[in-house]
Amino acid sequence: MSQPVDSAVSAVRTYIAQHRTAFLDDLAEWLRIPSVSAQPAHAPDVRRSADWLTAKLRETGFPVAEVWETPGAPAVFAEWPAADPAAPTVLVYGHHDVQPAAREDGWDSEPFEPVVRGNRLYARGAADDKGQVFFHTLGVRAHLAATGRTAPAVHLKLLIEGEEESGSPHFRALVEKHAARLAADAVIVSDTGMWSEDTPTVCTGMRGLAECEIRLYGPDQDIHSGSFGGAVPNPATAAARLVAALHDEHARVAIPGFYDGVIELTDRERALFAELPFDERRWLRTAKSHAAHGEAGYTTLERVWARPTAEVNGIGGGYQGPGSKTIIPSSAMVKLSFRLVAGQDPGHVEKAVRAWAAEQLPAGIRHEITFGGATRPCLTPLDHPALQSVVRAMGRAFGEPVRFTREGGSGPAADLQEVLGAPVLFLGISVPSDGWHAPNEKVELDLLLKGVETSAYLWGDLAEHWRHAP
């Protein structure tokens, strides 16, 4: 026997059904703009995308909608104050730039000419991230229609970046410059996904990232291994020993101080992860790998989502051509990356790596370490009231229990958390089969409309529960 649908749900779903066609037509129009931030030739298209979205947000009802300039591609900011001055303020983050795409990459249709096949919309950006940004426009209108409001129940802000697919090189500076206008009680990131079509989930955190290149120098030039081998240090050997010393026998990172501050998984979090229908054999096929491996004492999902890592991204030195060349090379290099979890500080990790490397290397080997820009981890506790609002809104839309995940990768969400001092919450409806960054990217239309519905419920739930939060 089906559960009765309350009047508010019925009103939201009726409004969405009535406006479905116009919503999808508008989204298709936006998807036709090839806003590829990584290709300079498309810079005018990225700007056209920002202008298009700004105009559409004004049409939606946002009284403030602006293009914000950066040294690179433009971002879009919008704001719609609530009628109640005491209402919480919520900032939605997403991005309007997309990955490169061309028919010859393996697409079944033109990547920037949206096409519906079955109940799926195919186009570059359909899921990552234009579709997930755009569902908020219909969601806020459904929220107003169902509640009779003339303004959202929360002070609603949007920040839609134009350089996420290029590494967000100017994003933090943009947030710092406009921190006062972006101030919020919570940040909603709609650049994420769910576990699967039939398992709605909410992500509670992302790992951070620190990366470095270590260059090792021995002799002032390549020298004869017969004349000098065994009598002077070899930088390629030193690189191999450095890599070998990176982990202990339990696959735990062996750098002293690396785990300082790590917030450990709780028993409840581990139990919730274990509830997910995880098929390790299928996961290994996706990973194009033949065995799981990692820190002892943790499951595969725990390793990917909630444990810090050290990975060798590249190693080289000496002769690489055909045949042999009996030398001691003058130099070698190692590229390392470190995924960080909540509680870790990238600056502390950098100092620990520098001290560890200096300790490992023998006399006669000079070294240089260069660190790139770091991304901090972010994590929202399971009992946070704003997170519970997201869970209730999604559960109301899907009519099913909502489970929890984390994200093993890294992104600009941590900059929002750090600069604005607000918890970061993830609301996305994309599923793994959507093919982000791949040919034939698509979005499931039923799930896209569930995103609309979740957005419609979320603002009222946050307004009702936030002010009473401890």
Side-chain angles (χ1 to χ4, degrees):
M1 183 176 180
S2 61
Q3 294 293 320
V5 177
D6 66 53
S7 58
V9 170
S10 178
V12 165
R13 291 178 178 172
T14 297
Y15 187 90
I16 292 172
Q18 291 172 342
H19 294 82
R20 179 183 190 273
T21 300
F23 166 74
L24 294 178
D25 287 347
D26 283 344
L27 176 57
E29 183 178 316
W30 194 20
L31 291 169
R32 290 189 183 98
I33 302 175
S35 50
V36 181
S37 62
Q39 296 178 339
H42 284 292
D45 295 314
V46 180
R47 179 162 297 279
R48 188 155 58 97
S49 171
D51 290 339
W52 186 95
L53 178 58
T54 301
K56 188 58 63 174
L57 291 172
R58 292 189 186 122
E59 182 183 312
T60 297
F62 283 84
V64 174
E66 305 168 351
V67 174
W68 280 1
E69 300 297 338
T70 78
V76 173
F77 172 77
E79 184 173 13
W80 196 340
D84 180 4
T89 299
V90 182
L91 173 67
V92 174
Y93 167 85
H95 62 91
H96 67 94
D97 64 320
V98 299
Q99 281 280 311
R103 182 70 181 269
E104 56 267 27
D105 295 338
W107 285 77
D108 295 332
S109 55
E110 292 296 331
F112 294 104
E113 186 50 54
V115 59
V116 174
R117 293 195 290 270
N119 200 34
R120 295 171 172 176
L121 173 63
Y122 291 84
R124 175 60 86 221
D128 181 24
D129 182 37
K130 288 179 177 177
Q132 300 201 93
V133 167
F134 203 58
F135 73 57
H136 286 290
T137 62
L138 183 54
V140 71
R141 297 204 310 269
H143 162 64
L144 299 179
T147 60
R149 296 175 180 271
T150 57
V154 298
H155 301 299
L156 186 58
K157 302 178 182 181
L158 273 65
L159 178 61
I160 312 303
E161 186 188 358
E163 295 184 306
E164 195 275 343
E165 300 292 8
S166 299
S168 302
H170 304 105
F171 182 70
R172 186 182 179 96
L174 181 74
V175 175
E176 290 174 339
K177 177 181 178 181
H178 297 286
R181 294 191 69 186
L182 293 170
D185 297 303
V187 175
I188 302 290
V189 172
S190 286
D191 182 23
T192 185
M194 307 192 311
W195 180 266
S196 67
E197 287 96 320
D198 52 5
T199 307
T201 53
V202 171
C203 176
T204 62
M206 298 182 75
R207 292 195 292 190
L209 176 64
E211 50 192 341
C212 70
E213 179 176 316
I214 306 176
R215 301 204 68 88
L216 309 177
Y217 303 96
D220 293 337
Q221 65 180 38
D222 293 352
I223 57 176
H224 193 288
S225 66
S227 299
F228 302 103
V232 296
N234 184 319
T237 301
R241 291 185 180 278
L242 193 67
V243 167
L246 195 56
H247 298 89
D248 67 15
E249 66 273 21
H250 304 295
R252 184 177 171 87
V253 179
I255 298 172
F258 180 76
Y259 290 91
D260 290 354
V262 165
I263 297 177
E264 301 288 342
L265 277 164
T266 66
D267 290 342
R268 183 186 175 208
E269 286 173 313
R270 301 187 81 168
L272 289 170
F273 288 176
E275 290 179 0
L276 291 165
F278 178 62
D279 183 332
E280 189 162 279
R281 290 185 179 181
R282 177 182 293 180
W283 179 85
L284 283 170
R285 288 196 296 271
T286 302
K288 309 299 182 186
S289 300
H290 308 285
H293 175 76
E295 186 179 1
Y298 296 92
T299 67
T300 296
L301 288 182
E302 291 169 353
R303 291 167 181 163
V304 172
W305 290 345
R307 297 301 297 167
T309 64
E311 293 293 345
V312 180
N313 307 130
I315 181 171
Y319 181 65
Q320 306 284 325
S324 64
K325 186 178 183 182
T326 53
I327 60 167
I328 296 172
S330 63
S331 64
M333 55 76 63
V334 177
K335 290 180 180 287
L336 304 176
S337 64
F338 305 91
R339 296 289 175 172
L340 311 179
V341 299
Q344 285 182 294
D345 174 59
H348 176 77
V349 168
E350 177 178 341
K351 291 178 181 177
V353 172
R354 289 183 181 277
W356 166 80
E359 182 70 23
Q360 298 296 315
L361 297 174
I365 296 292
R366 296 172 292 110
H367 73 284
E368 298 173 353
I369 302 183
T370 304
F371 273 81
T375 301
R376 288 184 174 273
C378 60
L379 178 66
T380 301
L382 291 174
D383 59 355
H384 194 285
L387 176 61
Q388 292 306 309
S389 286
V390 175
V391 171
R392 281 190 294 268
M394 181 172 273
R396 201 174 181 188
F398 281 84
E400 296 181 27
V402 175
R403 304 190 187 281
F404 296 91
T405 64
R406 292 197 201 176
E407 172 57 57
S410 307
D415 287 331
L416 291 166
Q417 183 182 56
E418 184 177 4
V419 176
L420 303 181
V424 171
L425 315 161
F426 295 84
L427 170 56
I429 49 74
S430 184
V431 289
S433 63
D434 284 344
W436 290 25
H437 300 195
N440 299 312
E441 179 184 347
K442 55 85 175 171
V443 68
E444 301 283 340
L445 293 180
D446 286 345
L447 296 183
L448 185 64
L449 296 177
K450 287 298 183 186
V452 173
E453 192 177 342
T454 302
S455 174
Y457 302 140
L458 179 57
W459 314 131
D461 194 290
L462 279 167
E464 179 182 352
H465 293 94
W466 184 273
R467 70 193 64 213
H468 302 300

